[in-house]
Amino acid sequence: MNFEIFDTDYITIIFVKDKLNYTGREIEPLWAFKVFNVQKDNIVVFRGKMEVPIDNMKDLKDIKREKDIDIPIKSDDAINFVIEHFDNIDLKTIYLRQRLLVCITKEIIEDNCNLKLRRDGDDLYYNNKKLSVCIACKGIVSSKIHLGINVKSKGAKHIEIIGLEYLGIKDIDKIMKDIAIKYAEEINKIEKDIRKTLPLY
C-alpha cells in the first residue's frame, strides 16, 4: 500500500495514496500498527467506498435500524478519517474529540466552498442532505473515531446524501490533508497547554 507518514509532537498523520475502502474493521484497536506500523496516537486518512456490514457497526442505534429495515452505512465514494488515541480517557472525552474533528471539518469545507453547512451533533448536512457519518468508541487499549465524508452524492438507499463534488469542491486531496493537519495541530496545542498550566490549590 502506498502511503506517507508525517510525525507531529503527539500524533502521527498517515495519508494513504491508494484507494482504500472503509468497512468498519478499520476502527478496531491497533489497526494503524498492524497496517502501517505506527504505535503512536494517529490519524489515518484515505479515500474509497464506504460500506459497513452490521457485524462491524459500533452504533447500537444503527445496528437496531439495520436489523429492522436492512440499511447499511454506505457511500460509493468517501474520504475517511480513522483516529486512535492511547491515553486513558473516558468515552465522554473521546466524543468531545469527535465533535472537535467534526467542527474542524465543517469550518474547512465551508471555507473551500463558500456555502453554509448545518451540524447536528456529529453529522453534517447541506440542504437537509447528509454529508457525513461519524462514530466514536472506546476499547481496552485505545479510543477510536471514524469520520466519513461523501465525495459523490450516491451510494446510500435509506437517506438523501450529498457529496463534496456537489458542493463545488474539486481538490479532494487538499480537503483531506487540511482536516487531518488541523486536527493534529489542535491536539498538539491541547497537549502543550496541559503541560504549561499550574494547578488550582
Side-chain angles (χ1 to χ4, degrees):
M1 190 182 300
N2 193 12
F3 59 91
E4 290 181 313
I5 293 179
F6 298 91
D7 259 324
T8 70
D9 290 338
Y10 299 100
I11 186 167
T12 297
I13 306 170
I14 304 158
F15 292 114
V16 181
K17 295 181 177 181
D18 299 329
K19 286 292 175 73
L20 178 64
N21 296 335
Y22 180 79
T23 67
R25 291 189 186 129
E26 299 75 15
I27 206 170
E28 296 300 325
L30 302 174
W31 175 68
F33 182 35
K34 292 173 185 174
V35 178
F36 307 103
N37 202 33
V38 172
Q39 288 181 270
K40 218 168 135 178
D41 284 19
N42 59 80
I43 175 167
V44 185
V45 189
F46 56 96
R47 180 176 176 178
K49 291 183 178 180
M50 182 167 53
E51 186 165 6
V52 183
I54 190 169
D55 290 345
N56 293 345
M57 290 182 182
K58 301 301 181 190
D59 189 320
L60 183 56
K61 191 174 179 181
D62 286 338
I63 292 170
K64 293 175 83 170
R65 187 175 58 182
E66 166 77 4
K67 284 181 178 178
D68 291 340
I69 52 178
D70 189 25
I71 299 171
I73 297 171
K74 188 175 181 182
S75 176
D76 284 358
D77 188 6
I79 55 175
N80 294 278
F81 303 82
V82 177
I83 296 171
E84 185 165 29
H85 289 285
F86 290 97
D87 48 348
N88 187 22
I89 59 170
D90 57 23
L91 190 58
K92 184 180 288 186
T93 304
I94 196 64
Y95 265 102
L96 289 171
R97 285 177 176 167
Q98 178 211 45
R99 295 301 199 275
L100 173 64
L101 173 66
V102 173
C103 288
I104 287 169
T105 300
K106 180 177 183 289
E107 180 181 281
I108 288 172
I109 292 173
E110 287 178 340
D111 285 347
N112 280 268
C113 69
N114 294 316
L115 297 171
K116 184 70 176 174
L117 304 180
R118 176 172 66 87
R119 181 179 68 85
D120 184 3
D122 58 8
D123 292 320
L124 296 175
Y125 295 84
Y126 180 72
N127 282 350
N128 293 322
K129 295 180 181 179
K130 204 163 190 282
L131 178 64
S132 65
V133 296
C134 201
I135 185 66
C137 54
K138 182 172 170 58
I140 296 172
V141 299
S142 66
S143 300
K144 301 287 299 267
I145 302 169
H146 167 250
L147 170 64
I149 306 166
N150 300 314
V151 175
K152 300 186 184 301
S153 306
K154 58 182 182 178
K157 296 179 180 178
H158 69 292
I159 189 170
E160 279 193 287
I161 66 172
I162 199 162
L164 295 174
E165 289 183 348
Y166 182 90
L167 301 180
I169 294 176
K170 293 180 173 60
D171 194 345
I172 304 300
D173 284 350
K174 180 181 183 298
I175 294 291
M176 293 169 69
K177 289 181 179 180
D178 286 353
I179 292 169
I181 290 167
K182 183 64 175 176
Y183 181 80
E185 287 175 349
E186 290 293 342
I187 293 298
N188 287 334
K189 287 176 183 175
I190 289 168
E191 291 292 341
K192 288 176 181 177
D193 284 347
I194 290 170
R195 288 157 176 78
K196 72 176 179 62
T197 307
L198 294 173
L200 296 172
Y201 293 100

